[in-house]
Amino acid sequence: MWQRRAFLQAAGAGFAASLMPRQSLALERTALVFASAVQTAKGRYGAVLLGEAGELIASIDLPDRGHDVTISRAAGRGVVFARQPGTFAVVFDPAGQEAPLTLTSVTGRHFFGHGVFSPDGRLLYATESDFDAAQGVVGIYDATDGYRRLGEFPTHGTGPHEMLLMPDGVTLVVANGGIETHPDYGRSELNIETMDPSVVFIDRRDGALVGQLRLDGGLHQLSIRHMAIDARSRVWFGCQYKGAPSQSPQLVGYASMDGVIKLINLPNDTLRDLRNYVGSVAASADGNTIAISSPEGDLLVAIDADAGQPRLVQALRSGCGLAADGAGFVASSGMGELIGVGENERAPQHYDFQFDNHMLRV
């Protein structure tokens, strides 16, 4: 993970010099840097870089609501993806030396909010929807050639959402939410009765399917959306339930490349308070704790990854964004709050912008 020194190395020597004095001082004093999409008090959309103590270091404008951010140390670039289903992704230079580059989804495709770089920073992979075929695809972009779209390969499912790169640097893991959408119907969910969520492992070199895992048949309305990788290379996932509101299935589990997929048993009161919705998943710096959030239930939960049991349950109104820091996690909210979770005892801070669903430690 990127601490300040590594961040400056990737951003380039001109980064600090490009900042206003107050921002430069903030960067000098911080050990960690976090990124998030935001909405300002005036209703405009953007993305921000914050220091460990919450100092605003830099910001960029977005044409509409953003969702997740990915940053490549090797490429020295970050990308903010539009909220799904969206038609833009903005590539930005953390150093501020080059103007942001806006990518537009190709005909017949929408971005789905998430993406990752290859380890060498040469390729960008984005989750997208082939909406006429109701199939997910991974769009491939050449970061060395103006982010020209090179092609795509299937995610072997519908409604792909978050995508991560496994520690082997070769395998992509994709959460297929299983929900069909189409631009003719906005954000309407068109196949609730026949949903088919899955976790898939894909070889990024040729798009070959390495493995596909599904929950038991009775849980086909449990949409798998967000993920984090623990110290044992297990992929933890959080779900959103689209079945009857009177039902409360388990929402959190893990999958592994050797074919295991399993839900853990959260206590009934915790499960009830999550309100059938997990909005973000993050792993601690050592990979031994998994944090999940529910902006619907105003709840944050930290889970012991080995025991599969909650270590901590904490309230945060509209809380969703999660990122590891040295001592625990930081969490952000749609109310503009930033707080510490677990052993992170930072004082709560409040901003004049609202955080979107995700926060990235860069």
Side-chain angles (χ1 to χ4, degrees):
M1 297 185 178
W2 242 354
Q3 297 194 356
R4 178 172 59 91
R5 179 176 299 176
F7 176 80
L8 285 172
Q9 288 174 344
F15 178 60
S18 72
L19 299 174
M20 299 293 289
R22 186 176 63 180
Q23 295 171 313
S24 180
L25 182 61
L27 179 62
E28 181 180 338
R29 290 177 173 175
T30 192
L32 304 174
V33 179
F34 300 94
S36 177
V38 300
Q39 182 179 16
T40 70
K42 295 182 178 180
R44 296 178 178 174
Y45 295 102
V48 298
L49 294 177
L50 300 176
E52 183 180 25
E55 317 94 310
L56 178 62
I57 295 173
S59 64
I60 62 168
D61 295 329
L62 298 177
D64 206 330
R65 181 175 174 178
H67 192 62
D68 196 19
V69 181
T70 186
I71 292 186
S72 168
R73 187 187 308 182
R77 293 292 184 273
V79 181
V80 189
F81 294 94
R83 182 194 192 201
Q84 75 166 64
T87 59
F88 73 89
V90 175
V91 182
F92 66 94
D93 173 11
Q97 302 301 301
E98 295 184 9
L101 172 66
T102 300
L103 311 180
T104 302
S105 56
V106 298
T107 301
R109 304 288 184 271
H110 272 170
F111 292 117
F112 257 2
H114 293 266
V116 295
F117 279 92
S118 58
D120 62 6
R122 296 176 63 85
L123 297 174
L124 172 70
Y125 302 94
T127 52
E128 301 177 3
S129 175
D130 175 356
F131 46 78
D132 283 334
Q135 292 295 315
V137 300
V138 175
I140 310 165
Y141 297 82
D142 188 346
T144 69
D145 186 16
Y147 291 83
R148 179 171 57 89
R149 196 174 192 274
L150 299 174
E152 64 186 31
F153 46 73
T155 69
H156 304 276
T158 302
H161 198 62
E162 187 157 20
M163 172 169 54
L164 303 174
L165 182 64
M166 295 295 291
D168 63 12
V170 171
T171 308
L172 297 171
V173 57
V174 181
N176 284 314
I179 299 176
E180 179 185 356
T181 57
H182 192 284
D184 290 348
Y185 301 96
R187 290 175 57 81
S188 297
E189 297 165 336
L190 305 176
N191 66 331
I192 294 301
E193 297 302 320
T194 58
M195 289 171 54
D196 182 22
S198 64
V199 174
V200 296
F201 296 94
I202 299 170
D203 189 321
R204 69 174 184 83
R205 296 169 298 188
D206 56 9
L209 179 63
V210 176
Q212 183 165 25
L213 301 172
R214 292 179 171 87
L215 296 167
D216 291 341
L219 296 173
H220 74 282
Q221 291 179 311
L222 204 52
S223 181
I224 303 172
R225 297 293 188 94
H226 296 107
M227 305 177 295
I229 300 172
D230 72 8
R232 295 162 59 183
S233 295
R234 298 181 301 180
V235 180
W236 285 76
F237 57 84
C239 302
Q240 297 170 17
Y241 185 56
K242 299 298 180 179
S246 59
Q247 299 174 336
S248 299
Q250 294 291 335
L251 298 173
V252 179
Y254 58 82
S256 61
M257 289 184 65
D258 58 6
V260 173
I261 185 166
K262 179 181 180 181
L263 291 168
I264 66 166
N265 292 311
L266 293 175
N268 289 337
D269 55 347
T270 303
L271 197 59
R272 178 200 63 213
D273 293 343
L274 289 172
R275 299 185 62 182
N276 281 337
Y277 192 102
V278 173
S280 186
V281 182
S284 61
D286 62 7
N288 292 322
T289 304
I290 302 298
I292 66 166
S293 62
S294 172
E296 300 291 327
D298 302 327
L299 201 69
L300 312 171
V301 183
I303 299 166
D304 183 309
D306 283 334
Q309 295 294 321
R311 284 179 171 171
L312 172 78
V313 177
Q314 187 169 336
L316 177 63
R317 187 180 175 192
S318 191
C320 196
L322 291 166
D325 71 355
F329 297 89
V330 295
S332 58
S333 83
M335 309 301 291
E337 289 185 282
L338 190 69
I339 69 168
V341 180
E343 297 178 5
N344 183 335
E345 298 179 350
R346 71 164 55 233
Q349 293 176 284
H350 193 275
Y351 300 85
D352 60 357
F353 48 75
Q354 302 170 356
F355 291 98
D356 208 85
N357 285 26
H358 299 293
M359 177 157 282
L360 174 71
R361 174 175 161 174
V362 297

